[in-house]
């Protein structure tokens, strides 16, 4: 995983990712991450962790439209950790994501953007032929915001 200490500016490469999860008000942070996107279609996964946040920034993020307090929706839990639902086993799309006990979450389907999704919609995305999703996770214990993207 790569690591960088950032103070947001006009050329900050992470601001586009933060804007997708309504967290573009984060201005000073340390970021570690990994991105496997590549190839002709640009498929892959991204996992960035934004930590060392300034006081008060997180409250504005998780208060933004689209954020929900934990627990995760069942559909989102399947996407992150893999689970069984109605007799169907779902593999995790992301690997190495530790369970978060307290915090908040955000979900965006880039092919059908809106502010909230029910479990049935998330399962349809999971079962579809392609997916372009973004997930935001706030871990209250570590005071970190996770940005996850999956493109297939």
């Amino acid at each position: 995983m790569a690591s960088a200490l950032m103070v947001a500016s006009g050329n900050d490469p992470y601001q586009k990712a933060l804007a997708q999860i309504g967290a573009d008000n984060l201005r000073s942070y340390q970021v570690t991450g990994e991105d496997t996107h590549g190839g002709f279609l640009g498929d892959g996964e991204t996992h960035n962790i934004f930590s060392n946040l300034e006081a008060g920034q997180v409250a504005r993020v998780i208060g933004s439209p689209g954020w929900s307090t934990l627990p995760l929706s069942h559909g989102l839990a399947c996407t992150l950790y893999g689970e069984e639902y109605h007799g169907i086993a779902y593999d995790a799309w992301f690997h190495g994501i530790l369970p978060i006990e307290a915090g908040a979450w955000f979900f965006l389907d880039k092919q059908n953007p809106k502010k909230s999704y029910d479990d049935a919609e998330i399962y349809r995305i999971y079962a579809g032929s392609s997916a372009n999703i973004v997930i935001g996770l706030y871990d209250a214990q570590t005071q970190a915001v996770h940005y996850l993207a999956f493109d297939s």
Side-chain angles (χ1 to χ4, degrees):
M1 282 199 156
S3 178
L5 182 60
M6 303 294 292
V7 175
S9 66
N11 60 359
D12 179 354
Y14 297 104
Q15 283 299 300
K16 181 178 177 186
L18 289 170
Q20 288 181 329
I21 61 171
D24 48 337
N25 68 325
L26 297 181
R27 294 289 173 222
S28 177
Y29 47 79
Q30 181 174 355
V31 62
T32 56
E34 183 174 15
D35 189 344
T36 66
H37 286 84
F40 178 69
L41 298 174
D43 292 349
E45 300 171 28
T46 300
H47 181 193
N48 291 325
I49 303 169
F50 297 89
S51 57
N52 294 333
L53 306 174
E54 291 180 357
Q57 291 186 97
V58 173
R60 289 190 303 273
V61 170
I62 63 175
S64 299
W67 281 86
S68 301
T69 56
L70 290 177
L72 296 172
S73 75
H74 194 264
L76 187 55
C78 284
T79 302
L80 291 172
Y81 306 115
E83 289 188 23
E84 188 173 310
Y85 179 70
H86 293 304
I88 299 171
Y90 291 87
D91 289 329
W93 277 350
F94 300 94
H95 301 284
I97 308 299
L98 298 176
I100 294 174
E101 305 281 328
W105 60 274
F106 176 94
F107 182 87
L108 173 67
D109 175 7
K110 293 192 288 184
Q111 295 174 347
N112 180 24
K114 55 186 188 171
K115 293 298 178 191
S116 67
Y117 301 83
D118 62 27
D119 278 340
E121 291 173 302
I122 294 174
Y123 285 114
R124 273 194 299 276
I125 295 164
Y126 192 100
S129 60
S130 71
N132 299 93
I133 63 167
V134 172
I135 298 170
L137 297 172
Y138 168 63
D139 186 339
Q141 288 181 308
T142 63
Q143 296 286 303
V145 172
H146 296 250
Y147 167 88
L148 301 136
F150 180 85
D151 298 296
S152 68

